[in-house]
Amino acid sequence: MEFESIQDFYQKVITNVEKVIVGKRSTIEMLIVALLCEGHVLIEDVPGTGKTMLARAIAKSTNLDYKRMQFTPDLLPNDVTGVSIFNQKERQFEFRPGPVFTNILLADEINRATPRSQSALLEAMGEGQVTVDGQTYPLSRPFMVLATQNPIEYEGTFPLPEAQMDRFLLRVHIGYPDFADEDRMMQMQQLTHPIDTLTDVVDGNQIPELQIHVRQVHVVESMRSYILELINQTRAHPSLELGASPRGSLAVFRTSQARAAIHGRDYVIPDDIKYMAPACLAHRMKMNPQNILQGQSPTEVIYEILKHLKIPVGGE
Amino acid sequence: LAEYRLNHPISKISGRRERLTILAALFIFLTIAAAGITSVLINPDWSMLWRGLLFGLLLGWGLAKLKQKGWVSGLLIVITGYLYTLLFGGGLEQKIYSLLEQFTAGFSRYVFFPEDYPADISLLEQQILELANRGVVLSERVGNWIWTLVAGRAEYDPISTALIWGFILWLVAAWAGWVAVRYRNPLLAVLPGVLLSVSTLTYSQSVPFTVYLLLGLTLLLMAFVHYERREEKWDEAQIAYPSKKGLQINSAALLLAIGLVIFASILSSLSLPRILEWVSSLRENALVQEVNLGDSFGIQAKITPTPDPFIDSRSPGLPREMLIGSGPELSKRPMMTVEIEAFPQIFSGQAVIPIYWKSHTYDAYTGHGWQTSKTTLDEYQPNQQFQPEGESDHIVINQIVRSAGNEIRSLFAAGDPISINQTSTAAWRSPGDLFGVQINPTQTYGAQSQVLSPDAESLRKTGQQYPEWVRKHYLPIPEDLPGRVNKLALQLTASEPTPYDRTRAVESYLRSIPYSLDVPHPPPDQDLVDYFLFDLRLGYCDYYASAMVILLRSAGVPARIATGYASGTYNLNTKRFMVTEADAHTWAEVYFPGVGWIPFEPTGSRPTWEPTQTDLMSLNTDQQPSEIVPGQNNQKAIAWFWYSIIGVFALLSVLSLAFMVYDELRLYSLPEPAAAAEIYSRLKKYSMYLGVPDSTGKTPYEFAALFTSYLLQLTWGRGASNLRLTTTMYIETIIDRIVKVSYNPNPSQISDSPGLYHQWRTLRWRLRALWLQDKFDRWRDWTGRVLKPGPRRIVARSD
């Protein structure tokens, strides 16, 4: 069965990545879900929590091409997409592909670049292709952007507008490891970094095929209405200025499918939706200013809605 | 801000206080609404209504708090309201108390003197039967009243009215409590109360002062409930708020409401038509001229044998002195003799009603005595008929009255006079409603009169369709009549099915009060009947008759006072009645539609007319229990009582068994997805019984995890752990299947475990056993804590 192969893929990758990233199973799971859904992930966290290492470990485990880009204010769009250079020898323009031509792109501190450069990347993410000088170049598949953002430092940054945030399938936080995990991490890295010895466990080329299989996971009518009810409640919630977009409901739908598949099921259960909804929706919503001042976050709102939302069980 | 939140934890106590305020405000609101309504009702039983409001409100409130379904609450409210009004409004309260008393007494006797067993419980059963019987009679009575109402005939029945109002107010109160909690909508909660009081007040055109108060309270309630709802939202969103804020807002709302009420009442009281109305009402009052007559309780009128000069001036032509110079000294001095034709016929025939020589009747009670309303005077020639002979059963009596000394100034005749052989002046309150007949002072006259002779059965069938003149004159009671009189009247008559039975009930009650001529003057500021019934409990005919008339009127039975002489002693030799001063008498007459006025004798020292055999049963019910002789009837009643109890139990168990079978079959035949929904909701219910916290937003798996972890935490005696483990296992498998059935569209993959119904059956009894064990454990724990002095036992709630 194809769903078993997805589960198998997931098990292998996560065991492998966990050799490097200790105690962050749910974050790794989110990234694998995004990879299977052809989505992009915004990782929001303070420096040093292992964002780069996570991206590299996943790329290495799946034998995918990996590039890292540091976003700075003087970054130009062409630095992202690539540039056409006139070849003196052959007397014609020759395209030099930018870092976006890869499988897994780590866009570090995306909010430090100017909106122009940001939108160049976000366009590439949305379209799956890049147009330079009227020439269109398709990106390789699979293609996943892991953009990072530092939530503490806002000095001299260009925060992503809502419309751009909406393009990310998920927003995840890594967070600090707990006491025991951090201790284990120090021991592991005493002599060598484990990433150096990490080998690939699956073939990254099968991912497009798995992506097609994920779409075939069943979502029964009651589960679809559960998602819609959830989305509707975010739109009507008093502390939210802006609820989740239709792209948000699609994201919950798709990621729940992927999560069901990686757990070996060909049907979505409420647990999948409850698990994926905060990561899918929180960055698409905007709080009322007074609620922001009260320290309430969109994630809390979603948890609150989920806490009271009745889950449909059984049929007629 | 975060610091502020830390330092000011949200107080739950303030929320509870708000709720209590709302409850209190609702209660005050209902009380005012009820006060408004009862101010225009005739004889309201205020304490019953008030208690009903309180209980109803609390019931509605509690049911809503318990999250009962709407129809369940409605049914409960209606049933309890019905029982409440029946028991407390129908005067069965005392009966229940005495029953309880007797029951506990009998029980303790059985406990302490078991050798007496089997004890004689026939009395108890008799009382239970009687209680049930009275309940049925009351229900029938209300039913009849509603039926006549629907049929479009007006019929005033104070008991039915009291019951209906009690029931309506109960419903209004319960609704208010229920809606205030369930829908948090103060307007909707008070709406029925407002509508009811406004419509009642409008109908009776009363001063709508209470409406202003209701308005103010509604405003206040809206403020309270609104604030409470907001506070709840804040709690939910974990927004900090100072706990004193509620007090401030609510007191501001209170001030605002008071201001608005004052403003509204001032505005509307400035209306011109109201002032005009008031002026015209003053004029009307001045025009009403009532003839102050009579027998004003005895004391003054009878002591002074001289005519009252006021009376002569107010009603010329009628003598003030209707009892030929009699007084309370009541000597054996002969006053007059009466010779009648065909005497034996009266006593040997069907007429059993005693003969009174009646002179005057009175309709208006002043609180201290009796007078008549305005009368019109008609001159009659000798032998001219005052009124035609009646159509109902009656006997015509020709009598010759001879004075034994003084001149006779008014007509004395048995029953209703038809004609007299002298020129006379009759005073009529209205056509057919005779006050009395005055004749020129004479030593002797002959008169024809009629005595009604109906039997009890026909009196029972007369109904309550009283003509206008009867309702106008013979039902009113003073507005300031103390409530306890009214309550006594309702208690005595509530469960009597017909006016005749009610009359008999009042009569037999009064006949048990001892007779005495030596009684003190009634205090001037107290109602005479109230004084007699509750303080004095001694008296002579005037007191008895007045009490009977007022009690009957309170119970909705038209009645009047009649004065004259009792029949006296019959002398076989002279064939004449010898009437002495001591025979001067006052008695009560009751109006029966289509029959007329029937005399009743509330004075115990004089015989009343014998009821027929069928009456005896209804009369006996009010007698002392010691007079009931256990006999065959009782044996039958006891058997019937036990059979009915067993029958009810059997019926209930059959019904519940049938329901269980039906439920099983339904569950069995349901398709799996539907069964999954049903079983899942039942499982949740069981978890709630076992104390698992609310799990609305939990997915089935999360719920299973919560449930099982909770079960494993419980501490129970040895032997239970195995049951717990298997139960958690079963819960996990059944939840697994429920999830598969609910969300997997490919049924082919599901059928690897037994069906949901079978799994549920094995799980269910385990859950029940766990529940029982939990309850037992808690109970043991509680008793251990209560019975063992010293430090509280600490209960470990983990393995």
Side-chain angles (χ1 to χ4, degrees):
Chain A
M1 291 273 323
E2 57 266 27
F3 299 106
E4 277 149 23
S5 66
I6 296 175
Q7 190 182 13
D8 184 52
F9 169 85
Y10 163 72
Q11 290 294 350
K12 279 178 181 163
V13 172
I14 202 158
T15 334
N16 207 41
V17 173
E18 277 199 314
K19 286 178 189 165
V20 181
I21 309 290
V22 184
K24 293 290 163 206
R25 197 181 175 89
S26 71
T27 316
I28 305 167
E29 188 182 340
M30 292 279 183
L31 293 194
I32 297 171
V33 163
L35 187 61
L36 290 174
C37 295
E38 307 169 56
H40 309 284
V41 181
L42 181 65
I43 305 173
E44 211 166 66
D45 229 320
V46 290
T49 45
K51 297 182 288 256
T52 316
M53 209 48 70
L54 183 59
R56 276 180 68 192
I58 288 180
K60 264 196 147 179
S61 307
T62 52
N63 196 18
L64 285 174
D65 193 21
Y66 162 79
K67 283 207 178 81
R68 179 179 181 282
M69 257 182 102
Q70 182 66 45
F71 276 44
T72 53
D74 57 352
L75 190 82
L76 293 175
N78 281 352
D79 295 338
V80 179
T81 55
V83 63
S84 293
I85 293 173
F86 188 71
N87 191 328
Q88 296 282 356
K89 249 187 242 165
E90 296 174 20
R91 306 198 63 78
Q92 61 177 11
F93 280 97
E94 180 180 274
F95 182 65
R96 286 274 185 83
V100 78
F101 287 89
T102 183
N103 292 122
I104 294 180
L105 174 68
L106 181 71
D108 223 352
E109 300 200 72
I110 188 168
N111 54 344
R112 296 216 165 268
T114 54
R116 252 178 96 202
S117 316
Q118 284 175 1
S119 65
L121 173 69
L122 292 162
E123 248 178 78
M125 280 160 54
E127 325 263 308
Q129 60 186 27
V130 164
T131 307
V132 178
D133 296 338
Q135 193 74 29
T136 302
Y137 305 96
L139 299 176
S140 48
R141 291 190 71 193
F143 174 58
M144 176 165 77
V145 173
L146 301 174
T148 73
Q149 205 171 262
N150 184 343
I152 301 299
E153 231 178 359
Y154 281 114
E155 203 86 351
T157 62
F158 304 92
L160 292 177
E162 318 299 330
Q164 309 285 35
M165 293 288 261
D166 209 20
R167 287 177 191 267
F168 288 100
L169 182 70
L170 297 172
R171 182 180 68 178
V172 299
H173 300 271
I174 297 179
Y176 296 118
D178 63 24
F179 200 86
D181 287 338
E182 205 158 351
D183 184 43
R184 236 181 86 216
M185 188 192 77
M186 289 193 292
Q187 287 176 26
M188 273 162 55
Q189 300 191 5
Q190 190 176 3
L191 299 174
T192 53
H193 199 288
I195 189 84
D196 300 332
T197 56
L198 208 63
T199 53
D200 57 317
V201 285
V202 288
D203 180 13
N205 292 326
Q206 59 162 325
I207 290 176
E209 194 191 332
L210 296 181
Q211 285 172 345
I212 293 167
H213 287 152
V214 162
R215 287 166 181 258
Q216 282 156 6
V217 171
H218 299 290
V219 186
V220 292
E221 196 269 328
S222 66
M223 285 297 92
R224 291 199 303 274
S225 62
Y226 179 56
I227 296 175
L228 291 178
E229 189 58 38
L230 169 66
I231 299 290
N232 261 326
Q233 289 210 8
T234 67
R235 289 173 194 164
H237 201 279
S239 32
L240 291 179
E241 192 178 302
L242 187 70
S245 57
R247 203 183 284 175
S249 35
L250 205 60
V252 177
F253 182 83
R254 186 73 73 222
T255 51
S256 303
Q257 279 183 315
R259 186 174 183 268
I262 62 178
H263 286 96
R265 271 181 280 114
D266 66 342
Y267 54 91
V268 167
I269 62 172
D271 304 71
D272 297 327
I273 296 168
K274 272 185 92 168
Y275 186 81
M276 294 311 307
C280 287
L281 300 179
H283 61 290
R284 299 171 205 266
M285 309 193 306
K286 200 176 169 198
M287 302 288 295
N288 277 331
Q290 67 264 36
N291 293 86
I292 295 175
L293 286 177
Q294 279 154 10
Q296 211 182 1
S297 74
T299 318
E300 280 171 31
V301 173
I302 294 171
Y303 279 130
E304 188 200 309
I305 294 173
L306 285 172
K307 196 174 153 196
H308 299 292
L309 194 56
K310 196 168 182 297
I311 290 176
V313 176
E316 293 319 307
Chain B
L1 187 76
E3 203 174 299
Y4 180 84
R5 274 167 61 180
L6 274 178
N7 293 338
H8 295 80
I10 291 153
S11 96
K12 285 280 162 201
I13 299 153
S14 80
R16 202 170 300 141
R17 199 181 52 214
E18 305 292 331
R19 254 157 265 157
L20 275 182
T21 323
I22 292 172
L23 192 64
L26 265 183
F27 183 60
I28 296 171
F29 171 86
L30 290 169
T31 312
I32 291 174
I37 293 166
T38 49
S39 71
V40 298
L41 283 189
I42 308 166
N43 316 332
D45 183 357
W46 178 238
S47 78
M48 186 276 264
L49 292 178
W50 193 80
R51 274 179 295 171
L53 283 181
L54 184 62
F55 293 151
L57 179 65
L58 288 178
L59 180 74
W61 186 274
L63 283 175
K65 278 267 172 226
L66 289 174
K67 304 214 160 99
Q68 287 294 331
K69 277 182 189 144
W71 67 269
V72 175
S73 314
L75 202 67
L76 268 176
I77 286 168
V78 168
I79 289 173
T80 46
Y82 177 73
L83 286 178
Y84 172 81
T85 41
L86 215 58
L87 292 183
F88 289 85
L92 302 184
E93 207 177 340
Q94 295 301 328
K95 297 240 178 287
I96 287 182
Y97 293 153
S98 75
L99 193 70
L100 278 178
E101 207 178 329
Q102 215 160 357
F103 182 75
T104 43
F107 185 71
S108 56
R109 205 182 317 142
Y110 168 66
V111 168
F112 294 116
F113 307 103
E115 64 270 17
D116 280 0
Y117 192 76
D120 181 21
I121 50 169
S122 55
L123 288 182
L124 196 65
E125 273 142 11
Q126 188 79 17
Q127 284 200 321
I128 291 174
L129 270 179
E130 190 196 319
L131 195 67
N133 198 17
R134 277 165 185 263
V136 171
V137 168
L138 270 176
S139 307
E140 269 179 9
R141 194 168 164 180
V142 175
N144 281 338
W145 182 80
I146 291 173
W147 195 82
T148 48
L149 193 73
V150 170
R153 284 174 290 158
E155 180 181 292
Y156 171 64
D157 180 357
I159 287 289
S160 302
T161 326
L163 291 189
I164 292 282
W165 278 109
F167 187 61
I168 289 176
L169 284 176
W170 172 281
L171 289 187
V172 166
W175 166 267
W178 200 75
V179 170
V181 174
R182 181 63 64 91
Y183 297 122
R184 298 297 173 74
N185 190 340
L187 261 187
L188 196 64
V190 300
L191 190 67
V194 171
L195 282 184
L196 193 67
S197 52
V198 168
S199 54
T200 323
L201 291 174
T202 316
Y203 181 76
S204 67
Q205 300 183 335
S206 306
V207 188
F209 179 66
T210 49
V211 176
Y212 301 131
L213 283 180
L214 293 186
L215 174 83
L217 271 166
T218 312
L219 286 173
L220 207 60
L221 267 172
M222 279 170 69
F224 285 176
V225 174
H226 188 74
Y227 178 73
E228 200 217 343
R229 199 158 37 178
R230 179 143 302 177
E231 220 170 49
E232 221 156 72
K233 262 190 194 161
W234 288 337
D235 276 348
E236 228 165 62
Q238 303 209 327
I239 297 169
Y241 56 87
S243 57
K244 275 187 185 166
K245 195 170 174 185
L247 201 65
Q248 286 165 6
I249 288 183
N250 286 345
S251 42
L254 182 70
L255 285 178
L256 205 65
I258 291 175
L260 273 173
V261 167
I262 292 173
F263 184 63
S265 55
I266 288 174
L267 259 194
S268 66
S269 63
L270 292 177
S271 105
L272 197 61
R274 286 193 58 81
I275 296 171
L276 288 177
E277 202 178 283
W278 180 67
V279 171
S280 68
S281 75
L282 275 186
R283 268 177 52 214
E284 265 170 38
N285 276 342
L287 287 176
V288 174
Q289 187 185 16
E290 293 210 328
V291 184
N292 184 8
L293 259 189
D295 200 26
S296 75
F297 262 75
I299 319 302
Q300 283 171 335
K302 287 196 175 178
I303 284 171
T304 54
T306 50
D308 185 342
F310 288 104
I311 291 310
D312 281 326
S313 57
R314 276 188 204 165
S315 53
L318 274 182
R320 164 71 187 79
E321 187 191 3
M322 58 224 145
L323 297 178
I324 321 175
S326 70
E329 58 271 21
L330 298 174
S331 66
K332 284 287 178 189
R333 189 160 69 88
M335 294 306 298
M336 60 181 186
T337 58
V338 184
E339 182 184 345
I340 58 174
E341 296 168 10
F343 163 70
Q345 189 191 339
I346 295 172
F347 287 100
S348 61
Q350 61 183 133
V352 285
I353 296 172
I355 288 200
Y356 296 103
W357 315 115
K358 181 163 74 176
S359 67
H360 292 84
T361 58
Y362 296 95
D363 63 334
Y365 178 65
T366 60
H368 299 284
W370 292 88
Q371 51 182 234
T372 179
S373 316
K374 209 175 157 194
T375 55
T376 51
L377 302 181
D378 284 331
E379 292 276 344
Y380 289 89
Q381 296 306 313
N383 292 328
Q384 186 189 353
Q385 280 198 345
F386 301 114
Q387 52 195 339
E389 280 184 31
E391 283 157 20
S392 54
D393 285 351
H394 67 274
I395 298 158
V396 174
I397 294 175
N398 290 311
Q399 55 228 306
I400 299 162
V401 178
R402 292 183 184 85
S403 168
N406 294 355
E407 285 178 333
I408 301 176
R409 289 163 175 275
S410 56
L411 169 62
F412 292 92
D416 301 317
I418 296 174
S419 64
I420 185 168
N421 60 359
Q422 306 218 351
T423 313
S424 58
T425 310
W428 299 92
R429 275 186 287 265
S430 55
D433 186 9
L434 188 66
F435 165 57
V437 178
Q438 189 219 355
I439 50 176
N440 292 326
T442 178
Q443 287 292 333
T444 177
Y445 63 83
Q448 196 180 45
S449 64
Q450 53 178 340
V451 173
L452 297 173
S453 62
D455 61 313
E457 272 319 302
S458 62
L459 288 181
R460 281 205 175 91
K461 284 176 190 145
T462 54
Q464 298 180 56
Q465 306 290 324
Y466 301 116
E468 171 61 31
W469 61 270
V470 171
R471 284 208 304 273
K472 191 179 156 204
H473 287 296
Y474 299 107
L475 277 176
I477 52 174
E479 269 183 21
D480 52 355
L481 185 74
R484 53 184 182 175
V485 176
N486 192 34
K487 208 170 170 186
L488 175 69
L490 297 192
Q491 247 176 35
L492 288 173
T493 61
S495 49
E496 302 294 343
T498 64
Y500 173 75
D501 292 309
R502 281 163 221 161
T503 308
R504 281 295 185 195
V506 171
E507 190 193 46
S508 67
Y509 172 78
L510 288 173
R511 286 178 75 86
S512 68
I513 295 178
Y515 181 88
S516 167
L517 278 173
D518 188 19
V519 291
H521 285 242
D525 53 347
Q526 195 178 354
D527 186 90
L528 188 104
V529 169
D530 180 61
Y531 175 68
F532 166 65
L533 282 174
F534 295 100
D535 300 332
L536 195 59
R537 292 200 67 82
L538 268 182
Y540 48 90
C541 54
D542 296 323
Y543 286 96
Y544 288 106
S546 304
M548 176 152 184
V549 171
I550 292 304
L551 284 175
L552 283 176
R553 287 186 184 185
S554 298
V557 180
R560 68 182 180 187
I561 284 271
T563 63
Y565 287 95
S567 55
T569 45
Y570 186 63
N571 189 329
L572 279 172
N573 295 329
T574 56
K575 308 217 162 165
R576 284 173 190 175
F577 284 97
M578 173 64 76
V579 181
T580 65
E581 238 174 21
D583 289 320
H585 193 44
T586 307
W587 63 96
E589 287 190 330
V590 176
Y591 185 79
F592 290 92
V595 177
W597 293 96
I598 304 292
F600 284 86
E601 186 49 84
T603 311
S605 61
R606 290 190 184 274
T608 182
W609 56 286
E610 283 290 308
T612 51
Q613 205 58 36
T614 43
D615 293 332
L616 278 172
M617 281 177 75
S618 63
L619 277 181
N620 270 345
T621 52
D622 249 349
Q623 286 167 6
Q624 294 300 308
S626 58
E627 288 173 27
I628 298 169
V629 187
Q632 198 157 13
N633 264 349
N634 271 338
Q635 293 296 331
K636 258 188 204 165
I638 294 162
W640 182 86
F641 171 74
W642 287 117
Y643 286 148
S644 66
I645 288 212
I646 293 167
V648 166
F649 268 102
L651 192 70
L652 280 180
S653 38
V654 164
L655 277 180
S656 51
L657 197 72
F659 177 75
M660 276 161 72
V661 167
Y662 160 77
D663 193 50
E664 285 297 310
L665 283 176
R666 195 177 70 96
L667 206 58
Y668 180 72
S669 62
L670 276 179
E672 273 227 302
E678 182 71 35
I679 287 170
Y680 186 65
S681 75
R682 289 185 190 193
L683 196 60
K684 277 202 157 184
K685 224 173 251 178
Y686 273 103
S687 78
M688 264 166 65
Y689 293 152
L690 278 165
V692 177
D694 175 47
S695 52
T696 317
K698 295 251 185 291
T699 68
Y701 281 132
E702 284 169 350
F703 167 69
L706 181 75
F707 197 2
T708 51
S709 72
Y710 182 81
L711 282 184
L712 294 175
Q713 265 178 22
L714 295 175
T715 313
W716 284 325
R718 265 164 278 120
S721 63
N722 197 29
L723 177 68
R724 263 180 293 151
L725 279 179
T726 51
T727 311
T728 54
M729 242 170 56
Y730 276 111
I731 289 173
E732 274 158 12
T733 43
I734 201 169
I735 286 286
D736 202 46
R737 189 168 174 92
I738 284 173
V739 168
K740 278 183 182 160
V741 166
S742 302
Y743 309 120
N744 192 345
N746 289 334
S748 59
Q749 297 172 2
I750 307 171
S751 53
D752 53 341
S753 60
L756 271 180
Y757 172 73
H758 298 283
Q759 286 199 25
W760 174 240
R761 279 187 65 178
T762 46
L763 177 58
R764 190 168 50 186
W765 73 262
R766 286 183 164 80
L767 289 172
R768 284 175 189 165
L770 283 175
W771 180 81
L772 273 179
Q773 197 138 21
D774 182 50
K775 286 286 163 269
F776 175 71
D777 192 56
R778 273 158 206 256
W779 178 77
R780 204 182 44 189
D781 200 51
W782 182 80
T783 49
R785 228 178 22 236
V786 170
L787 297 179
K788 275 185 201 163
R792 277 175 62 163
R793 211 175 109 202
I794 293 159
V795 192
R797 278 277 171 207
S798 59
D799 276 355

